[in-house]
Amino acid sequence: MNKELRRKKRYQAEKRFQLYGIIAISLALFFVGLLVFKVFSDGTSAFSRTMIKLDVTFDANKLGITNVNDKDEVDNADYYTLIYEEFIKSYPFSNREEEKQIIKLLSPDYEFEAKNYFLKNKDQLNKTVTLLLTASDDFDQLHKGNFPRDIPEDRRRLSNYQLKIYDQFLKDGKVEKIFNNYLFSKGDSRDPELAGFGGAILGSLFTILICLLISFPIALAAAVYLEEFAPKNKLTDLIEININNLAAVPSIVFGLLGLGILLNVFELPRSTPLVGGIALSLMTLPRIIIPARASLKAVPPSIREGALAMGASKVQTVFHHVVPLAMPGTLSGTIIGLAQALGETAPLLLIGMVAFVVELPGSPMDPSASLPVQVYLWSESAERGFVEKTSATIMMLLGFLIVMNSLAVYARQKFEKKWN
Amino acid sequence: MELENKRESKVISKNIDVFYGDKQALFGIDLEIYKNEVTALIGPSGCGKSTFLRCINRMNDVIDICKITGEIEIDNFNIYKPDVDVVRLREKVGMVFQKPNPFPKSIYDNIAYGPSIHGIAKDKNEMDHIVETSLQKAALWNEVKDRLHEPGTGLSGGQQQRLCIARAISINPEIILMDEPCSALDPIATAKIEELIDSLKRSFTIVIVTHSMSQAARVSQRTGFFHLGKLIEMGETEKIFKNPNNTMTQDYITGRFG
Ligand SMILES: Nc1ncnc2c1ncn2[C@@H]1O[C@H](COP(=O)(O)OP(=O)(O)OP(=O)(O)O)[C@@H](O)[C@H]1O
Ligand SMILES: [Mg+2]
């Protein structure tokens, strides 16, 4: 009877424990779902861009072009006036103020958009074509449905007059949504419709590359030495403890180190992926050393003995057998370490990678943004256009992290040799 | 008696003491191992058979806490002299372990590893030849010749052990040490390996540690009985098994203790 009761209790305890587990997992999934939902609902609209159609004649007289093949003439032609004059004709206006309101519906880059088009299609001189010009941020947000129209005019960013123009354009089929290639190809900008995270992606890639190039070889050498060659004594114990401590140091400290030493003492160029990568590699080092040592330790002693008994030297044993077998674990640790570095913001803020950079970086020596810092920068901006871009950047960042972590899992599963 | 005269010493152990930290594992071992014979080491678990075996190719060097005093002479040369090159020594003294431990590489690469690090093969052809003859000597060639580039770890336990033997003989050592090579194998695989050992003794000197009395009786010419870190008795296998001098030996081989 007593036995029966105890068994029943045990089953109940088991059931209860399972229930707790399910509740915990559901809660975790719920929060992740909430985050993803929020990011996606805010961010997806950033991947499209609103364009306004405009029929333009590339009038040689107006542009001041006499010879299409004269590069100088074509480069310096007055596209600004051409588009300006053509665009304000799209809607009747009665005063200077209304004229301004019309042209403000276009993104200030229209001059270059027209020029770029013409440079590629020089045969269109004196012909009329339909151009797609990027709409201003306010127009874009209105079209995407992110601006409510039913609030008082003085609290709206678009006037009643501009709303009327929008409706008219819509009716005439002049408004079009296209894929926002600017998001990927451009750097930062004051105008949300012209801003992209291309520069931030490049900056992040350069930073991670520098970080990998510095931290991986050093970490691997350190791990191999500590695990395979170092004598076991007080000093190596101390080193071991400090490596673990280093892994727990808040990342901002590495930023300070970068600021104090790399920038002030070595005078490396500020705001560059080079400095960012070096600062992050300090942080990544212990995060690679620890899994690398664990993988080295996991290589069975029988393999080492086998090699030694064949007359392999210690170094040959380590580099022919132990290190290759520890590689999958080391690589997956490296990828996870780099993924953490990719999401790191604080050290980059300190070494000046928060600068407003319009140009795409061409090398790790150029000033640049990075993905997490771009999120930080844009989240500070008031424009609605930057809100969606912030979320889009987070999506990008999460995408990279998912890819890297999957790679880590893949590396471990695919290349891990099984031994008996 | 005539046979005795033809015998040639290969390994001579002189007063070997082994310590693991403070604990002494072997006490003054003196013994002689003859060339082209199989010498079996028997004794209860923990008596120091493996420890002694690992002294012969200095595998104990890897263990930090292990200290060894005394001399072991191979061909009249003391391998515990300070400036002995252990790599050269292990080239001469191969080892097969209790648990088959092929490298997680292809069958071919398992065999080719030793010759390649010692620069024994001049070219690919020569290497192919070494791989083939080693596998043939280990009686494994027919079973694996069609899958030389498959992983060695994919073989059965008995095949893996023969692969390890083939690996050991690939660099043409003079002595092969075997530490319970059949303990992880079934009777059929064991029979194959015993047959193999018998044929290998023509070219090599073999020292085998075993827990199986019948195995020692079948494969060895001489047997040494260890107990609690001491060599109790050593002699002709036949004599040890039929008419040992020591009562402890008698008790052990008849299964009264151990
Ligand atoms: N690496 C080591 N560190 C410390 N002590 C060890 C080590 N290896 C062996 N010993 C000790 O040395 C003694 C002899 O061990 P050894 O492995 O030589 O015995 P064995 O005769 O081979 O036993 P078995 O038949 O079980 O393999 C044992 O008491 C063991 O505890
Ligand atoms: Mg043993």
Side-chain angles (χ1 to χ4, degrees), chain B residues 153-169:
Chain B
T153 41
L155 296 172
S156 78
Q159 289 173 327
Q160 287 189 19
Q161 196 59 301
R162 276 179 284 151
L163 180 64
C164 291
I165 294 174
R167 182 174 75 184
I169 58 188

Side-chain angles (χ1 to χ4, degrees), chain B residues 20 23 25 44-51 63 65 98 180 211:
Chain B
Y20 288 111
K23 191 173 159 287
S45 186
C47 66
K49 308 178 295 289
S50 301
T51 302
I63 302 169
I65 56 166
Q98 176 169 2
E180 301 181 47
H211 274 285

